[in-house]
Amino acid sequence: MRYETLGVPLRYSWTAKELPPVKHNLIHWETTSGLDNKGRVEFSTLTGDDGSEQVGVKMTIVYKLPRLVAMITRDKGENGAVKKTVQRIIQADLKRFKRAMERDGAAGEDA
């Protein structure tokens, strides 16, 4: 993750381990080093307005800001700069994931 505050570029990375998945329902992870975070992606079956089967995706990420970033930005609440940066990154990742599933998803149904 890259972030800039007061003109100073900051860069954070992490290593995570995937926890045992629940087939077709859940992927989740937690960090083993670096920026402390954990998260989960939950999948659910939905019915569209036209009766078609669709997939709902819910992503939850919990992260602990490094003390320096938290002190400098006083990044609190829904409108915090770091939170907005993380949300932009996640939205872009989810869009890429959606495109990949729409393109290649049928081939991996039995995976």
Side-chain angles (χ1 to χ4, degrees), residues 3 6-7 17 21 26 28-30 54 91 93 108-110:
Y3 181 72
L6 301 175
K17 68 175 179 177
L26 175 67
H28 53 145
W29 67 91
E30 63 185 16
Q54 300 178 357
Q91 286 298 324
D93 288 346
E109 286 181 8
D110 295 325

Side-chain angles (χ1 to χ4, degrees), residues 19-110:
L19 301 173
V22 177
K23 191 173 183 175
H24 303 297
N25 291 323
L26 175 67
I27 299 169
H28 53 145
W29 67 91
E30 63 185 16
T31 55
T32 56
S33 66
L35 185 66
D36 188 17
N37 72 84
K38 62 183 176 180
R40 59 192 296 128
V41 180
E42 300 172 73
F43 302 92
S44 58
T45 302
L46 304 172
T47 303
D49 293 338
D50 62 356
S52 64
E53 187 174 285
Q54 300 178 357
V55 176
V57 178
K58 177 182 177 184
M59 177 182 257
T60 305
I61 298 178
V62 177
Y63 56 92
K64 182 177 179 183
L65 285 179
R67 178 177 279 166
L68 174 65
V69 174
M71 286 177 12
I72 291 172
T73 63
R74 293 186 175 90
D75 202 62
K76 303 208 185 315
E78 294 298 312
N79 297 315
V82 173
K83 183 170 184 170
K84 287 180 180 180
T85 300
V86 171
Q87 286 175 332
R88 277 195 305 273
I89 292 168
I90 292 169
Q91 286 298 324
D93 288 346
L94 286 173
K95 286 178 183 177
R96 280 192 295 278
F97 177 74
K98 180 181 184 224
R99 284 193 304 270
M101 289 297 98
E102 290 172 344
R103 183 187 66 235
D104 304 329
E109 286 181 8
D110 295 325

